[in-house]
Amino acid sequence: MFQWFYEIDHVTQALIATLFTWFVTALGAGLVFIFKTINRKVLDGMLGFAAGVMIAASFWSLLAPAIDMAEKTSKYPVLPAVIGFLGGGAFLWLVDNIIPHLHMGYPTSEAEGIETNWHRSVLLVLAITLHNIPEGLAVGVAFGALATGSSPATIGGAIALALGIGIQNFPEGAAVSIPLRREGLSRWKSFLYGQASGIVEPIAGVIGAIAVVAMEPILPYALSFAAGAMIYVVVEELIPESQLNKNTHVATIGAMLGFAVMMVLDVALG
């Protein structure tokens, strides 16, 4: 049924995969038409789940293939992984300090990035959009790696990564749109803002795939870069936000479940 997907070029595969992750974000955002509020414990569990998926994906789908590939081309195989990993974190740190945004649960006075008078709702959406960049990049790089022929990554692993990111995007979409509704926005505006936070994923995915296909030697660095960017998001945003209301056990259980789901997907498909 899906044989056509295996036969198209890897950049197009990356585009389709990241359009899927964006679509799941939109589905989650669509919950705003059913619910006006969301229980804080449920939200914290969602954030923990997303963190677990991203941690597992960072290792199995990105760092492990990067190290395996570097072992064949470098005297010090861990070096490209370390450089790429820290580079991804540094990039997100830089973007974090430039683009204005506001994390959920914080007052507007604690907005980060360049000072601005943008509306609170825009700042909230930008915070989620920033953290979707490494997710799209990770999926794009994973599919782009398949074109090189020298990567240990498999199309099953790339699909598993896209599925994992997509699954955690569903609660993430709801975690954006429903709080916006509670802030006073209409259901349609809340939905549009919620799904818009994920549209950056196809853009980042295609850029990542094209870069890897065009410059094969950067592949170990690119895979590790995406992993570092995702871990930065987990530690900087997801975990602190999930612990903000002291629902530590709920958030931790969510993280464990998310990690387990991504691990199963990667083993089953990768």
Side-chain angles (χ1 to χ4, degrees):
M1 181 179 176
F2 295 104
Q3 185 62 34
W4 60 269
F5 183 79
Y6 294 88
E7 296 172 353
I8 58 179
D9 68 273
H10 297 302
V11 173
T12 306
Q13 286 176 340
L15 174 61
I16 293 172
T18 47
L19 283 173
F20 163 75
T21 62
W22 164 70
F23 175 70
V24 180
T25 302
L27 284 181
L31 290 180
V32 75
F33 294 109
I34 304 173
F35 305 104
K36 184 175 181 179
T37 60
I38 185 169
N39 183 281
R40 185 66 211 197
K41 282 188 177 181
V42 174
L43 178 59
D44 290 341
M46 290 177 175
L47 293 171
F49 183 88
V53 168
M54 292 176 72
I55 292 170
S58 295
F59 177 73
W60 271 290
S61 300
L62 299 169
L63 279 176
I67 294 172
D68 287 346
M69 186 178 181
E71 284 178 343
K72 302 173 185 177
T73 59
S74 174
K75 186 178 179 181
Y76 305 102
V78 76
L79 199 57
V82 171
I83 293 172
F85 184 82
L86 294 178
F91 171 74
L92 255 290
W93 176 83
L94 183 63
V95 171
D96 208 40
N97 281 276
I98 294 175
I99 298 180
H101 62 283
L102 177 66
H103 300 303
M104 284 183 292
Y106 290 88
T108 308
S109 59
E110 293 190 27
E112 299 178 14
I114 296 173
E115 192 171 334
T116 179
N117 59 359
W118 290 352
H119 195 275
R120 176 180 172 84
S121 59
V122 175
L123 295 174
L124 287 168
V125 172
L126 280 175
I128 303 298
T129 302
L130 285 179
H131 119 207
N132 282 335
I133 292 174
E135 294 177 9
L137 183 65
V139 175
V141 168
F143 277 98
L146 302 174
T148 66
S150 58
S151 169
T154 64
I155 190 166
I159 291 173
L161 177 60
L163 285 174
I165 296 296
I167 289 169
Q168 65 97 29
N169 274 359
F170 182 81
E172 192 173 272
V176 179
S177 63
I178 294 176
L180 288 177
R181 172 64 175 156
R182 194 172 61 243
E183 295 262 340
L185 272 69
S186 69
R187 280 190 168 89
W188 269 108
K189 271 194 173 181
S190 299
F191 167 73
L192 290 174
Y193 281 6
Q195 63 82 32
S197 67
I199 197 64
V200 70
E201 291 190 8
I203 299 170
V206 170
I207 291 173
I210 290 174
V212 168
V213 170
M215 297 175 284
E216 181 178 345
I218 72 166
L219 181 53
Y221 297 92
L223 289 166
S224 305
F225 182 94
M230 290 217 293
I231 292 297
Y232 180 93
V233 168
V234 170
V235 179
E236 166 76 10
E237 299 179 20
L238 295 181
I239 291 177
E241 288 173 24
S242 71
Q243 307 285 330
L244 196 59
N245 284 264
K246 311 299 181 184
N247 296 317
T248 54
H249 292 306
V250 174
T252 302
I253 291 170
M256 296 293 288
L257 289 174
F259 191 98
V261 167
M262 187 64 227
M263 181 168 57
V264 169
L265 281 174
D266 195 81
V267 171
L269 298 177

PDB file of all heavy atoms in Angstrom, residues 34-52:
ATOM      1  N   ILE A  34     -13.334  20.966  21.305  1.00  0.00           N
ATOM      2  CA  ILE A  34     -14.058  20.100  22.235  1.00  0.00           C
ATOM      3  C   ILE A  34     -13.891  20.566  23.681  1.00  0.00           C
ATOM      4  O   ILE A  34     -14.849  20.562  24.456  1.00  0.00           O
ATOM      5  CB  ILE A  34     -13.545  18.643  22.111  1.00  0.00           C
ATOM      6  CG1 ILE A  34     -13.675  18.164  20.661  1.00  0.00           C
ATOM      7  CG2 ILE A  34     -14.310  17.710  23.058  1.00  0.00           C
ATOM      8  CD1 ILE A  34     -13.041  16.804  20.404  1.00  0.00           C
ATOM      9  N   PHE A  35     -12.667  20.994  24.008  1.00  0.00           N
ATOM     10  CA  PHE A  35     -12.382  21.414  25.384  1.00  0.00           C
ATOM     11  C   PHE A  35     -11.965  22.885  25.424  1.00  0.00           C
ATOM     12  O   PHE A  35     -11.246  23.353  24.553  1.00  0.00           O
ATOM     13  CB  PHE A  35     -11.251  20.570  25.986  1.00  0.00           C
ATOM     14  CG  PHE A  35     -11.496  19.086  25.925  1.00  0.00           C
ATOM     15  CD1 PHE A  35     -10.832  18.296  24.990  1.00  0.00           C
ATOM     16  CD2 PHE A  35     -12.388  18.480  26.791  1.00  0.00           C
ATOM     17  CE1 PHE A  35     -11.042  16.937  24.926  1.00  0.00           C
ATOM     18  CE2 PHE A  35     -12.610  17.111  26.734  1.00  0.00           C
ATOM     19  CZ  PHE A  35     -11.944  16.338  25.802  1.00  0.00           C
ATOM     20  N   LYS A  36     -12.419  23.573  26.457  1.00  0.00           N
ATOM     21  CA  LYS A  36     -11.999  24.961  26.644  1.00  0.00           C
ATOM     22  C   LYS A  36     -10.824  25.046  27.607  1.00  0.00           C
ATOM     23  O   LYS A  36     -10.009  25.971  27.535  1.00  0.00           O
ATOM     24  CB  LYS A  36     -13.157  25.805  27.177  1.00  0.00           C
ATOM     25  CG  LYS A  36     -12.811  27.288  27.300  1.00  0.00           C
ATOM     26  CD  LYS A  36     -14.004  28.128  27.716  1.00  0.00           C
ATOM     27  CE  LYS A  36     -13.631  29.610  27.808  1.00  0.00           C
ATOM     28  NZ  LYS A  36     -14.792  30.456  28.187  1.00  0.00           N
ATOM     29  N   THR A  37     -10.750  24.099  28.523  1.00  0.00           N
ATOM     30  CA  THR A  37      -9.647  24.063  29.479  1.00  0.00           C
ATOM     31  C   THR A  37      -9.042  22.666  29.489  1.00  0.00           C
ATOM     32  O   THR A  37      -9.641  21.716  28.993  1.00  0.00           O
ATOM     33  CB  THR A  37     -10.120  24.411  30.905  1.00  0.00           C
ATOM     34  OG1 THR A  37     -11.109  23.456  31.312  1.00  0.00           O
ATOM     35  CG2 THR A  37     -10.707  25.812  30.952  1.00  0.00           C
ATOM     36  N   ILE A  38      -7.875  22.558  30.053  1.00  0.00           N
ATOM     37  CA  ILE A  38      -7.208  21.268  30.174  1.00  0.00           C
ATOM     38  C   ILE A  38      -6.664  21.133  31.587  1.00  0.00           C
ATOM     39  O   ILE A  38      -6.100  22.085  32.139  1.00  0.00           O
ATOM     40  CB  ILE A  38      -6.075  21.128  29.127  1.00  0.00           C
ATOM     41  CG1 ILE A  38      -5.477  19.731  29.176  1.00  0.00           C
ATOM     42  CG2 ILE A  38      -5.010  22.186  29.312  1.00  0.00           C
ATOM     43  CD1 ILE A  38      -4.541  19.432  28.009  1.00  0.00           C
ATOM     44  N   ASN A  39      -6.897  19.980  32.194  1.00  0.00           N
ATOM     45  CA  ASN A  39      -6.416  19.727  33.542  1.00  0.00           C
ATOM     46  C   ASN A  39      -4.895  19.853  33.576  1.00  0.00           C
ATOM     47  O   ASN A  39      -4.197  19.315  32.716  1.00  0.00           O
ATOM     48  CB  ASN A  39      -6.845  18.313  33.974  1.00  0.00           C
ATOM     49  CG  ASN A  39      -6.433  18.009  35.399  1.00  0.00           C
ATOM     50  OD1 ASN A  39      -5.293  17.689  35.670  1.00  0.00           O
ATOM     51  ND2 ASN A  39      -7.385  18.121  36.308  1.00  0.00           N
ATOM     52  N   ARG A  40      -4.378  20.569  34.562  1.00  0.00           N
ATOM     53  CA  ARG A  40      -2.940  20.835  34.620  1.00  0.00           C
ATOM     54  C   ARG A  40      -2.129  19.548  34.760  1.00  0.00           C
ATOM     55  O   ARG A  40      -1.040  19.415  34.206  1.00  0.00           O
ATOM     56  CB  ARG A  40      -2.626  21.791  35.770  1.00  0.00           C
ATOM     57  CG  ARG A  40      -1.160  22.221  35.826  1.00  0.00           C
ATOM     58  CD  ARG A  40      -0.753  23.055  34.637  1.00  0.00           C
ATOM     59  NE  ARG A  40       0.649  22.862  34.277  1.00  0.00           N
ATOM     60  CZ  ARG A  40       1.345  23.673  33.499  1.00  0.00           C
ATOM     61  NH1 ARG A  40       0.781  24.740  32.987  1.00  0.00           N
ATOM     62  NH2 ARG A  40       2.595  23.424  33.205  1.00  0.00           N
ATOM     63  N   LYS A  41      -2.669  18.567  35.486  1.00  0.00           N
ATOM     64  CA  LYS A  41      -1.951  17.297  35.611  1.00  0.00           C
ATOM     65  C   LYS A  41      -1.840  16.600  34.262  1.00  0.00           C
ATOM     66  O   LYS A  41      -0.810  16.011  33.930  1.00  0.00           O
ATOM     67  CB  LYS A  41      -2.661  16.390  36.617  1.00  0.00           C
ATOM     68  CG  LYS A  41      -2.405  16.741  38.076  1.00  0.00           C
ATOM     69  CD  LYS A  41      -2.976  15.676  38.991  1.00  0.00           C
ATOM     70  CE  LYS A  41      -2.647  15.983  40.448  1.00  0.00           C
ATOM     71  NZ  LYS A  41      -3.177  14.936  41.363  1.00  0.00           N
ATOM     72  N   VAL A  42      -2.925  16.666  33.488  1.00  0.00           N
ATOM     73  CA  VAL A  42      -2.907  16.073  32.148  1.00  0.00           C
ATOM     74  C   VAL A  42      -1.869  16.777  31.276  1.00  0.00           C
ATOM     75  O   VAL A  42      -1.095  16.137  30.558  1.00  0.00           O
ATOM     76  CB  VAL A  42      -4.300  16.156  31.496  1.00  0.00           C
ATOM     77  CG1 VAL A  42      -4.246  15.683  30.046  1.00  0.00           C
ATOM     78  CG2 VAL A  42      -5.309  15.322  32.282  1.00  0.00           C
ATOM     79  N   LEU A  43      -1.857  18.107  31.339  1.00  0.00           N
ATOM     80  CA  LEU A  43      -0.901  18.892  30.551  1.00  0.00           C
ATOM     81  C   LEU A  43       0.534  18.547  30.936  1.00  0.00           C
ATOM     82  O   LEU A  43       1.396  18.357  30.064  1.00  0.00           O
ATOM     83  CB  LEU A  43      -1.158  20.389  30.758  1.00  0.00           C
ATOM     84  CG  LEU A  43      -0.204  21.346  30.036  1.00  0.00           C
ATOM     85  CD1 LEU A  43      -0.251  21.130  28.532  1.00  0.00           C
ATOM     86  CD2 LEU A  43      -0.560  22.794  30.370  1.00  0.00           C
ATOM     87  N   ASP A  44       0.793  18.432  32.231  1.00  0.00           N
ATOM     88  CA  ASP A  44       2.148  18.107  32.679  1.00  0.00           C
ATOM     89  C   ASP A  44       2.549  16.700  32.246  1.00  0.00           C
ATOM     90  O   ASP A  44       3.707  16.439  31.911  1.00  0.00           O
ATOM     91  CB  ASP A  44       2.242  18.246  34.198  1.00  0.00           C
ATOM     92  CG  ASP A  44       2.165  19.699  34.646  1.00  0.00           C
ATOM     93  OD1 ASP A  44       2.405  20.580  33.802  1.00  0.00           O
ATOM     94  OD2 ASP A  44       1.856  19.954  35.822  1.00  0.00           O
ATOM     95  N   GLY A  45       1.570  15.784  32.252  1.00  0.00           N
ATOM     96  CA  GLY A  45       1.846  14.437  31.750  1.00  0.00           C
ATOM     97  C   GLY A  45       2.182  14.453  30.274  1.00  0.00           C
ATOM     98  O   GLY A  45       3.075  13.731  29.808  1.00  0.00           O
ATOM     99  N   MET A  46       1.473  15.309  29.497  1.00  0.00           N
ATOM    100  CA  MET A  46       1.747  15.461  28.064  1.00  0.00           C
ATOM    101  C   MET A  46       3.160  15.988  27.832  1.00  0.00           C
ATOM    102  O   MET A  46       3.890  15.506  26.964  1.00  0.00           O
ATOM    103  CB  MET A  46       0.742  16.432  27.436  1.00  0.00           C
ATOM    104  CG  MET A  46      -0.668  15.920  27.333  1.00  0.00           C
ATOM    105  SD  MET A  46      -1.733  17.223  26.639  1.00  0.00           S
ATOM    106  CE  MET A  46      -3.287  16.332  26.485  1.00  0.00           C
ATOM    107  N   LEU A  47       3.528  17.004  28.606  1.00  0.00           N
ATOM    108  CA  LEU A  47       4.863  17.587  28.448  1.00  0.00           C
ATOM    109  C   LEU A  47       5.940  16.563  28.792  1.00  0.00           C
ATOM    110  O   LEU A  47       6.972  16.470  28.120  1.00  0.00           O
ATOM    111  CB  LEU A  47       4.999  18.823  29.348  1.00  0.00           C
ATOM    112  CG  LEU A  47       4.135  20.032  28.978  1.00  0.00           C
ATOM    113  CD1 LEU A  47       4.207  21.096  30.069  1.00  0.00           C
ATOM    114  CD2 LEU A  47       4.589  20.620  27.640  1.00  0.00           C
ATOM    115  N   GLY A  48       5.699  15.778  29.854  1.00  0.00           N
ATOM    116  CA  GLY A  48       6.638  14.735  30.226  1.00  0.00           C
ATOM    117  C   GLY A  48       6.753  13.685  29.134  1.00  0.00           C
ATOM    118  O   GLY A  48       7.855  13.235  28.801  1.00  0.00           O
ATOM    119  N   PHE A  49       5.622  13.305  28.549  1.00  0.00           N
ATOM    120  CA  PHE A  49       5.607  12.326  27.457  1.00  0.00           C
ATOM    121  C   PHE A  49       6.440  12.822  26.279  1.00  0.00           C
ATOM    122  O   PHE A  49       7.251  12.080  25.715  1.00  0.00           O
ATOM    123  CB  PHE A  49       4.165  12.080  27.011  1.00  0.00           C
ATOM    124  CG  PHE A  49       4.023  11.033  25.950  1.00  0.00           C
ATOM    125  CD1 PHE A  49       3.874   9.694  26.285  1.00  0.00           C
ATOM    126  CD2 PHE A  49       4.024  11.371  24.602  1.00  0.00           C
ATOM    127  CE1 PHE A  49       3.747   8.714  25.301  1.00  0.00           C
ATOM    128  CE2 PHE A  49       3.900  10.409  23.615  1.00  0.00           C
ATOM    129  CZ  PHE A  49       3.753   9.075  23.968  1.00  0.00           C
ATOM    130  N   ALA A  50       6.240  14.084  25.909  1.00  0.00           N
ATOM    131  CA  ALA A  50       7.004  14.674  24.802  1.00  0.00           C
ATOM    132  C   ALA A  50       8.497  14.644  25.108  1.00  0.00           C
ATOM    133  O   ALA A  50       9.322  14.345  24.239  1.00  0.00           O
ATOM    134  CB  ALA A  50       6.536  16.101  24.544  1.00  0.00           C
ATOM    135  N   ALA A  51       8.852  14.951  26.364  1.00  0.00           N
ATOM    136  CA  ALA A  51      10.262  14.936  26.758  1.00  0.00           C
ATOM    137  C   ALA A  51      10.848  13.532  26.617  1.00  0.00           C
ATOM    138  O   ALA A  51      11.965  13.352  26.119  1.00  0.00           O
ATOM    139  CB  ALA A  51      10.407  15.431  28.198  1.00  0.00           C
ATOM    140  N   GLY A  52      10.087  12.522  27.045  1.00  0.00           N
ATOM    141  CA  GLY A  52      10.563  11.145  26.954  1.00  0.00           C
ATOM    142  C   GLY A  52      10.801  10.702  25.523  1.00  0.00           C
ATOM    143  O   GLY A  52      11.817  10.061  25.217  1.00  0.00           O
TER     144      GLY A  52
END
